[in-house]
Amino acid sequence: MSGFKASNYRLKLQQLNNTQDSILVLSRFTILQIKYSSEIVQTWTEEFLQSNTIQQKINLIYLANDVLQNAPGKPSQFTLPFLSAFALVFASDPFILDSKLRAVIDRVINILQIRNFFTDEASRTLRQSLAKSSANHEQFKQDNVVQRGRILPPIQMLQEDDDDEYTLAIKDV
């Protein structure tokens, strides 16, 4: 390969499925491109944030886990970039509140901590990012109504007072 092409890697990430073979093949390819670790993790981050299915996000977490555990060196050239990427996506992606995705993330953080890929402090930082995400999204849910998977803003209505004056009222759907 004459260099790393983010568009080619993005396509591979989009084609990733939840089979062990798919994750292992892309993990091995990723590890072979270790000198482009920063660009790879940047592309992974963008794809994670743009993905709109929980299953694809889970596949991407499993891929990152496999890369971290199998890349040469401890820590590998992927460790710090993925640690930063995890903190970013855990704090900012609204899908993080999904219980299935959350369980996968918790399990991966535990495994990486137990196997000394992340320090206790790094694991704490990731868990704080998850907590921050939960707090931000709880506030968002309070400010908006979620109905059938869509987020609806509260309806603003004019209400007439007893004095024939109008006031703006917020009514949840």
Side-chain angles (χ1 to χ4, degrees):
M1 188 171 181
S2 62
F4 176 76
K5 291 190 172 69
S7 60
N8 291 345
Y9 190 67
R10 181 170 283 110
L11 184 61
K12 290 178 185 301
L13 291 173
Q14 291 167 352
Q15 294 170 345
L16 182 67
N17 62 51
N18 63 346
T19 64
Q20 185 176 4
D21 282 345
S22 179
I23 291 168
L24 289 176
V25 167
L26 187 52
S27 175
R28 297 306 169 258
F29 173 82
T30 302
I31 291 167
L32 289 173
Q33 308 303 316
I34 196 164
K35 65 182 176 180
Y36 304 107
S37 60
S38 295
E39 294 92 339
I40 286 170
V41 174
Q42 178 63 37
T43 305
W44 179 94
T45 303
E46 292 166 3
E47 191 58 34
F48 188 95
L49 292 171
Q50 291 172 5
S51 177
N52 57 6
T53 68
I54 298 300
Q55 187 58 56
Q56 188 62 15
K57 290 179 185 292
I58 289 171
N59 297 343
L60 291 167
I61 293 291
Y62 285 149
L63 172 65
N65 177 51
D66 197 75
V67 168
L68 286 165
Q69 291 193 51
N70 292 302
K74 199 173 180 185
S76 76
Q77 287 179 265
F78 288 105
T79 304
L80 287 177
F82 266 122
L83 182 60
S84 298
F86 284 171
L88 171 72
V89 300
F90 295 171
S92 61
D93 191 328
F95 284 98
I96 294 300
L97 293 180
D98 179 81
S99 60
K100 185 177 176 184
L101 179 58
R102 192 72 172 242
V104 168
I105 290 169
D106 282 335
R107 190 167 6 129
V108 167
I109 291 172
N110 286 339
I111 289 168
L112 293 171
Q113 183 180 5
I114 289 167
R115 295 184 181 170
N116 294 319
F117 287 92
F118 291 156
T119 63
D120 290 343
E121 183 179 336
S123 297
R124 244 188 326 278
T125 300
L126 293 177
R127 292 191 194 290
Q128 288 170 349
S129 294
L130 286 169
K132 179 181 176 187
S133 176
S134 294
N136 289 344
H137 297 298
E138 280 304 314
Q139 181 61 46
F140 182 79
K141 281 174 34 182
Q142 289 175 4
D143 294 343
N144 297 276
V145 176
V146 178
Q147 181 179 13
R148 293 189 182 160
R150 294 182 323 187
I151 298 169
L152 304 173
I155 295 175
Q156 295 183 355
M157 300 173 36
L158 287 177
Q159 285 185 333
E160 187 175 350
D161 290 354
D162 294 334
D163 303 321
D164 292 326
E165 292 183 14
Y166 289 93
T167 58
L168 188 63
I170 306 290
K171 179 180 177 185
D172 286 333
V173 180

